Structures are given as C-alpha cells and as structure tokens.
Amino acid sequence: MPISEFELIEHYFAHGGNQRRDVALGIGDDAAMTNIPPDHELIIELTRAVEGIDFDALDDAADIAHGVLARTLTALAARAAEPAWLTLALTMPEIDQDWLQTFSQTLHTVAAQHGVQLIGGDTTRGPRSITLHGHGFVPNGQCVVLDRAVSGDLIYVTGTLGDAGLAILALSDEIRLPRAEREQALQCLHRPVPPLAAGIALRGLASSAAPAGTGISTALVEILRASDVGATVHVERLPLSSMSRTHFDQAGGWSLPLHGPAPSSLCVTVQDRRQAEIERRFNDAGLPLTWVGTVDQRAGLRCVLGDGTEFYSDP
Ligand code: ADP
Ligand code: MG
C-alpha cells in the first residue's frame, strides 16, 4: 500500500531516535531550532552519497546508512568537534518500505550510539541519493583545521591501518581471508567506528587534521596542499593492524596502509614542542597514536623506507 510523504516521515524518521535536550524544535516543524552551548562554535559538515557512484543499488541499506553517518561523524572528529545534530536529504525513485525500515533504523541506532539526533530533512523522488549534514560544536578557538601545518610539525596517525583495505581486496577476490578475518575486515569497511574521542583529544594541541577514509596518503596530501608545505613519511612506522601484518605481502605491502581506506583514522600534525603533551593525552585516554613522519618546507609527499629508499612520492 503506498504511503504519503507525511506518513513516511512519521513512520521512519520522526520517532525512535535519540532525544537531546538542546533541540528546541525537531522533525515536524518547517525548520529545526537548537541551542549551541555558550562559548562554543558550530561546525557543519556535509556528506553526500549517490547510487551507482558511492554505493550500489543492491548494497545493504544498513551499510549505506552506517557508511554515510560514519563519514559525517569522522569529518566532525577531524575538526575536534563533538557531534550533536543531523539533517538528512533523502531522494528515492520509489518508496521501498523494507529499505526505508533498515536505513532509518540503522541511522537512528548509530546516531544514538554517538549521542546525535536527527532533527530534520527533506524527502524527494528521484535517483537514489543521501545527503547528510552533521552539526557539532567545539569550544571557541579550539577547532582543528586543514591548513595550519608548518614545517617541523610532527605527523601522527590515530588508530591502526589496513583492515578496510583488506576488505576491499577480499571483495574483489584479490585476497582470500579466513571467514572470521573477512568478517572483521568487512566490519571495518562498512561499519567503521568514527574516531570521536581522538578528535576531541586534538583540541588545543593539533595544528591540522584530516579524515583518512580515502587513505592516509590522501589525507596528508590534502593537509600539505592546503598548508603549502611538504612532508616525509617513514612508511615502516605506519601502524598496521594485526590482520594486515599477517597478510602484509599478499595484500601489496606498504601500499595497503598508505593508500587503503582508513575510515576510523585521522591524519594529524602537531608542533614538535607539543609532542610530549599529545602523546600523554592519547596514552592516558587509551587511544592509539603513532608518529609517522615530519612536515618540511619542500612541496610534495615523500615516503621512505628504513634504508632511505623512496617508496612513493606525490609531487
Ligand atoms: P517541508 O514542507 O518544509 O518541506 P516536509 O513535509 O518535507 O516539510 O517535512 C516535514 C518535517 O519532516 C520537517 O520537520 C522536515 O525537517 C522533516 N523531514 C522530512 N524528511 C525528512 C527526512 N528524510 N529525515 C528527517 N526529517 C525529515
Ligand atoms: Mg519536504
């Protein structure tokens, strides 16, 4: 039985989500209204996913919801923000109630896990796409940005690298993983845990940060270009997950942690005089943080092995 747009929003999106006290007007009004805590700045991020480009028609709706939300939250984490609210623009060719049930349920569940509330959106007909706005806040002046890395800064990676890249190799049959490891790798690719605690631990200490969802090398190059500096990375320092250590050779060696997706990691730069402080803060919080290289004056990214040979460079 077809349902109206009003019924669709009522049934799938208006209820069952997290309820925050700082939301004065949520789903149901023409616009939402929220309260930003005093002495905080609002950080806004937009993530869009389009069928046929970012996901396939037959992909699990739970994976799609999880993936889009994780990207949004990770982008807020890279700005050292605490995520608070979401708005969703959803476009679909027809009303598929099973798809909507899974999608909305997953979105509500994962949002609630991170204390985030869906406060509004729009629902339209057309080729399937999902646009998610994430809103978060950060104490005045403590937002970490992309373009403030300077020569001499230390480069760090949060979390470990390789698992999501192994999942991609497994899905394209380029590598065979035992069932439990395959599941674990797929989980890291499709259900990544956004590095929110790591993001907050950067406040007041990091000079720049970027999400590593499309790879640590890509994240670092983004920082370097925006900041007009270069860097040297010691690839053997890259923090491999235990699974990627096991399958290292089969999985393409250092290309895996360097270029593979790392949706739960951030690439971070820190002034060298802040080294002890940032390492202590992450250590006290039980969060992995690994030094991998140094920002320098010469443009481009150079990746070197222990014996000094250049492994990869992005000019
Ligand atoms: P409008 O007429 O202003 O476009 P709608 O009828 O589209 O309003 O939406 C009614 C309410 O439902 C609004 O509060 C809107 O923010 C919310 N809403 C619409 N679509 C979604 C969605 N996909 N997810 C969350 N909230 C939605
Ligand atoms: Mg509308």
Side-chain angles (χ1 to χ4, degrees), residues 24-244:
L25 276 179
I27 296 174
D29 201 289
D30 283 333
M33 179 162 75
T34 60
N35 296 300
I36 302 168
D39 306 318
H40 283 66
E41 286 163 320
L42 182 65
I43 312 294
I44 302 164
E45 203 283 329
L46 184 147
T47 301
R48 182 162 161 80
V50 176
E51 184 175 296
I53 295 171
D54 304 295
F55 62 89
D56 291 325
L58 297 178
D59 284 355
D60 181 358
D63 287 346
I64 298 170
H66 207 122
V68 178
L69 181 50
R71 267 167 60 200
T72 301
L73 296 178
T74 302
L76 291 174
R79 296 293 151 264
E82 176 185 333
W85 315 298
L86 299 168
T87 47
L88 168 69
L90 185 58
T91 304
M92 302 171 290
E94 76 280 304
I95 293 175
D96 174 341
Q97 298 209 43
D98 288 339
W99 192 94
L100 272 167
Q101 177 64 36
T102 308
F103 179 86
S104 61
Q105 187 57 53
T106 308
L107 197 70
H108 280 322
T109 304
V110 180
Q113 280 164 6
H114 300 291
V116 178
Q117 180 175 343
L118 182 65
I119 56 170
D122 204 11
T123 306
T124 51
R125 190 180 290 265
R128 193 183 310 270
S129 73
I130 297 145
T131 305
L132 198 61
H133 260 121
H135 310 245
F137 37 74
V138 64
N140 284 346
Q142 295 205 27
C143 175
V144 176
V145 295
L146 190 65
D147 65 355
R148 302 286 155 78
V150 297
S151 180
D153 282 1
L154 306 174
I155 302 165
Y156 288 93
V157 173
T158 75
T160 61
L161 304 174
D163 286 353
L166 280 178
I168 290 187
L169 295 174
L171 286 171
S172 58
D173 285 328
E174 285 168 71
I175 190 171
R176 275 187 67 88
L177 299 175
R179 185 200 290 253
E181 287 191 331
R182 184 184 162 93
E183 284 307 309
Q184 194 189 327
L186 289 172
Q187 187 84 6
C188 292
L189 179 67
H190 294 311
R191 313 269 164 117
V193 179
L196 294 172
I200 286 170
L202 303 178
R203 288 179 179 173
L205 288 179
S207 56
S208 75
T214 51
I216 272 293
S217 58
T218 309
L220 182 54
V221 166
E222 250 191 284
I223 290 174
L224 300 178
R225 293 205 175 129
S227 306
D228 205 14
V229 286
T232 301
V233 163
H234 305 279
V235 280
E236 286 152 334
R237 306 286 313 213
L238 293 171
L240 293 172
S241 67
S242 64
M243 217 187 335
S244 47

Side-chain angles (χ1 to χ4, degrees), residues 281-303:
R281 198 184 281 181
F282 273 73
N283 191 50
D284 289 351
L287 298 167
L289 179 77
T290 309
W291 174 80
V292 300
T294 308
V295 176
D296 45 49
Q297 221 36 281
R298 200 178 125 209
L301 168 62
R302 294 159 288 285
C303 296

